[in-house]
Amino acid sequence: MTTVIAPTDLARGTEYSGSRPKRHVATHLVLLVLAVMWLLPLGWSIYTALRPIEATNQYGYFSVAGPFNFDNFVTAWNQGGFSKYFLNSLTITVPSVLLTLFLSSLMAFAVSRVNWKFNITLLIVFTAGNLLPPQVLAAPLFQMFKHLNLPYWFSDSGTLLNTYISVIAVDTAFQIGFCTFVLSNYMKAIPMELSEAARVDGAGVWTQYWGIIMPLTRPALAALGTLEVIFIYNDYFWPLILIQSSNRLPITTGINNLQGEFLSNYNLLAAGAVIIVIPTLIVYLALQRQFIAGLTLGANKG
């Protein structure tokens, strides 16, 4: 049996095959431009940090002359007291991320896997909470924490102010809505037959959540965990408002110690900024595969 190919089919095939490489070239060009736009500030910061301020003053910032060394990194680490500030950031970031993922997973399970009256309403409320800018709630939260009395063995200020707990609570509250929205959509893609089979076997709600759903959401949790580490670690606003003691501030505020009284050494500031970025780069590179899988796996599920 002979198959006859119509001229119109040949034309369509030629048009498709000819336009497809053009689309790929345009896509790669756009991605290349975006990559350069994102990497250029980081590359320029590293380049500036490797140059002594004397070379920059002599030849200018837009020059390649002069020596290159790591003196600015050593000075920034010692002068900025980064070892102490890194520990403060770790104390804030790790509990905040764990609490955010745990509480948002519980809420996502309730609104996506359990049929009850207010599941959609609660999901809308959690999502709508992300629309409030933090600056609007800064004054009310400050006053609330200021007038919430605590024993002095728990807080040396007698209130929630100047404690890590206040920053952890606020970071968790502001991030839980976004994580609930993402996890609920991911859990909805998991077949309901798994939960029904578990209920037939006598599994309770906690067993369904912890033993069945949570292992299947590991890619999404890894992706959200990476994002939340970056968001909370880089937070500058809330620690600066809720913590008054300089020895408790996170690393994002430690760069203020590198500011001069009258003049600023921008090479030193660039070195401090690069040092601050390193932990988030390590987290992203370590979880890169899980991060990409978490972003793409949910989109492929029908």
Side-chain angles (χ1 to χ4, degrees), residues 17-282:
S17 61
S19 60
R20 187 174 182 180
K22 294 180 180 178
R23 287 199 299 267
H24 282 298
V25 171
T27 301
H28 292 160
L29 183 61
V30 171
L31 292 176
L32 179 62
V33 172
L34 292 177
V36 171
M37 291 176 59
W38 278 98
L39 293 177
L40 185 60
L42 179 61
W44 189 259
S45 298
I46 296 175
Y47 173 75
T48 303
L50 290 173
R51 302 184 68 191
I53 187 62
E54 294 79 12
T56 301
N57 293 335
Q58 181 178 358
Y59 301 105
Y61 280 98
F62 299 97
S63 62
V64 294
F68 296 89
N69 52 53
F70 293 93
D71 292 345
N72 287 325
F73 292 94
V74 176
T75 304
W77 181 271
N78 296 327
Q79 181 177 330
F82 281 179
S83 58
K84 174 182 61 179
Y85 289 118
F86 268 125
L87 182 60
N88 296 342
S89 291
L90 187 68
T91 305
I92 295 173
T93 303
V94 173
S96 299
V97 172
L98 294 179
L99 278 174
T100 300
L101 294 179
F102 176 67
L103 295 177
S104 60
S105 65
L106 289 175
M107 191 62 205
F109 179 84
V111 300
S112 63
R113 310 296 298 184
V114 180
N115 292 325
W116 55 303
K117 187 175 181 180
F118 299 103
N119 53 356
I120 301 299
T121 304
L122 279 178
L123 181 60
I124 293 175
V125 170
F126 270 77
T127 306
N130 291 329
L131 302 178
L132 289 174
Q135 293 80 3
V136 174
L137 299 177
L141 283 175
F142 182 86
Q143 293 297 327
M144 183 177 68
F145 290 165
K146 180 180 179 181
H147 293 91
L148 184 60
N149 296 323
L150 295 174
Y152 283 97
W153 60 265
F154 186 82
S155 170
D156 55 4
S157 64
T159 64
L160 265 180
L161 290 179
N162 202 32
T163 63
Y164 293 128
I165 297 178
S166 60
V167 182
I168 293 172
V170 171
D171 284 336
T172 302
F174 271 92
Q175 297 297 329
I176 196 172
F178 168 71
C179 293
T180 299
F181 175 75
V182 174
L183 285 176
S184 63
N185 289 333
Y186 193 90
M187 290 181 182
K188 288 178 182 178
I190 300 175
M192 292 297 297
E193 289 77 9
L194 292 176
S195 299
E196 294 174 358
R199 286 194 294 268
V200 170
D201 292 338
V205 175
W206 178 259
T207 303
Q208 297 175 40
Y209 161 77
W210 189 256
I212 298 175
I213 301 302
M214 289 301 289
L216 295 176
T217 58
R218 286 178 182 174
L221 290 173
L224 284 175
T226 306
L227 290 175
E228 291 305 315
V229 167
I230 296 173
F231 293 160
I232 296 175
Y233 174 85
N234 289 328
D235 183 27
Y236 179 82
F237 181 73
W238 289 114
L240 198 62
I241 290 179
L242 300 177
I243 296 180
Q244 285 81 40
S245 299
S246 59
N247 60 347
R248 297 180 183 178
L249 291 172
I251 188 64
T252 49
T253 61
I255 200 171
N256 289 331
N257 295 338
L258 305 180
Q259 292 275 8
E261 185 177 358
F262 301 104
L263 296 175
S264 295
N265 185 344
Y266 292 105
N267 300 60
L268 189 64
L269 290 173
V274 172
I275 293 175
I276 292 174
V277 169
I278 290 176
T280 56
L281 290 178
I282 293 175

